Amino acid sequence: STLLPYTTLFRSMPAGVKMYSGVFAVSPEAAAEIVGRLVRGEPVSVEQAEVRDIDEEAFRHDRVQSRWYGELRVPGVRGYVQHVKCGGKEAEPLAQQEIAAGIAEDMEDGVLYLVGTGTTPKAVLAELGLAGSLLGIDAVLDRGLLAADLDARALASLLDAHPVVKLVVTVTGGQGFLFGRGNQQLSAAVLARIGLDDIIIVATRNKLDELAGRPLLVDTGDRALDHRLAGLRTVVTGYRRQVLYRVAAADDPA
């Protein structure tokens, strides 16, 4: 391993919450752990990581893709620095359609369904013949679109009116974040009102394989809630197909 002076490495270790770039620590605690290793004189390897962000022009045409801006040197500490967000592979649309078909079939009358961000949850809306917001949280009731692109306050109001609720959510490809990146509308206060058994995690096998065994991560801003969400969780990976996969709090990813 190559050991750099920590004053040099500090300039290459951002700690924000950008979804696409691979140059951010997964949490403040993870960043502190890396700094602690450097201060203690422990060897920390260094690697190049991509700086990416959403392509705004493509998004204006309803395409979600990232744009490469360059590379930075970052600590190569597995589990503590997030990976570059990966896009889907060619087989993704079919896999997403299979997932969506099963979810749509199981939808219950009178139950409010919150459909999260990303192409896999939005495949559920497409299966129902509904148009929602790709990067927003949409609400479905009795197979109809009740509201679209909801923020945390609007979600809380909906939960007041509809206490029986299920949440369909996916993970960020390559990184594995379940909550806390790209879906901050799902605040800790909102998530605390949804039962663990009512959170439907959907992800293609491609997305899970990209994680190479790393856990799904949660970073809601509420440490107690993060650890309550952690553990072995069911992930829907196809039509009537499920796997058990580990979920971990971002402050304890190892």
Side-chain angles (χ1 to χ4, degrees), residues 19-64:
M19 288 178 59
Y20 291 88
S21 295
V23 298
F24 292 89
V26 298
S27 69
E29 291 81 8
E33 171 62 23
I34 295 171
V35 173
R37 294 184 185 186
L38 291 165
V39 171
R40 292 191 296 269
E42 299 176 15
V44 173
S45 62
V46 177
E47 59 188 32
Q48 295 292 117
E50 294 184 3
V51 178
R52 287 183 171 272
D53 205 345
I54 193 167
D55 187 323
E56 296 288 348
E57 183 61 31
F59 179 60
R60 293 188 188 98
H61 295 87
D62 295 324
R63 300 195 312 273
V64 176

Side-chain angles (χ1 to χ4, degrees), residues 107-124:
M107 282 187 163
E108 305 172 50
D109 292 340
V111 175
L112 178 70
Y113 286 84
L114 300 179
V115 181
T117 61
T119 54
T120 306
K122 297 316 177 188
V124 177

Side-chain angles (χ1 to χ4, degrees), residues 64-149:
V64 176
Q65 63 188 50
S66 62
R67 177 183 171 189
W68 182 84
Y69 285 89
E71 292 185 341
L72 288 174
R73 290 193 301 175
V74 299
V77 184
R78 185 179 180 87
Y80 289 88
V81 178
Q82 75 180 25
H83 287 233
V84 173
K85 183 183 187 298
C86 298
K89 298 180 181 179
E90 289 184 1
E92 288 290 281
L94 179 58
Q96 292 167 344
Q97 186 178 4
E98 291 181 351
I99 291 171
I103 300 296
E105 284 184 9
D106 291 340
M107 282 187 163
E108 305 172 50
D109 292 340
V111 175
L112 178 70
Y113 286 84
L114 300 179
V115 181
T117 61
T119 54
T120 306
K122 297 316 177 188
V124 177
L125 295 183
E127 182 72 18
L128 296 170
L130 305 175
S133 53
L134 184 59
L135 298 184
I137 310 295
D138 304 323
V140 173
L141 182 66
D142 297 334
R143 298 176 176 271
L145 186 65
L146 182 64
D149 201 9

Side-chain angles (χ1 to χ4, degrees), residues 211-233:
L211 296 176
R214 301 191 310 276
L216 306 184
L217 298 175
V218 292
D219 182 17
T220 67
D222 182 328
R223 179 173 292 185
L225 177 60
D226 288 348
H227 286 270
R228 197 157 69 246
L229 291 166
L232 285 177
R233 301 294 173 204

